Amino acid sequence: MSPTQPLISRVAADVLTGYYKRKRLTQEELATAADIPLPTLQKKLKGNAPITATDLVMLSRAIGIDPAKVITEIVEEAEAEERRVSEGVASLDAHRKKKTPADMTEDEMESERSAANTDPEIGFDEPDTP
């Protein structure tokens, strides 16, 4: 899916793809039923071309689903994706606020230095391996 298209178009492509596949339609059948040229439909479903409101209505009807239901699902999925992205950024910010060596005790600094080499089962640094 191309990140150059707006999130809503990418989500619409995913939702519509899920619907037509569940109905066991081929892209050729969907293109014919929606009166959209196959190459254009393929670009839209890959996220390489925007999906317009007209496309949504035509494709939903071709699949046999209420367009309002499809639009509602697309909006909900897009909002959920936006939340996931924003939460990911927030958790990254929290990670960046990690203590600096100036703020750490000697024990904390020592545990950081040996964290990669310490075997938690034996409680001390592992010997170097060849």
Side-chain angles (χ1 to χ4, degrees), residues 51-72:
I51 296 177
T52 66
T54 302
D55 294 331
L56 278 171
V57 171
M58 292 171 57
L59 290 166
S60 297
R61 289 181 178 162
I63 295 168
I65 300 167
D66 178 22
K69 178 181 177 183
V70 174
I71 292 169
T72 300

Side-chain angles (χ1 to χ4, degrees), residues 55-95:
D55 294 331
L56 278 171
V57 171
M58 292 171 57
L59 290 166
S60 297
R61 289 181 178 162
I63 295 168
I65 300 167
D66 178 22
K69 178 181 177 183
V70 174
I71 292 169
T72 300
E73 184 174 343
I74 290 167
V75 170
E76 289 171 355
E77 289 292 322
E79 288 173 347
E81 181 63 22
E82 286 175 344
R83 278 193 302 278
R84 284 190 291 273
V85 169
S86 67
E87 288 170 2
V89 171
S91 66
L92 182 60
D93 288 341
H95 177 71

Side-chain angles (χ1 to χ4, degrees), residues 5-16:
Q5 291 301 319
L7 174 63
I8 198 79
S9 268
R10 295 192 316 259
V11 171
D14 289 343
V15 168
L16 289 166

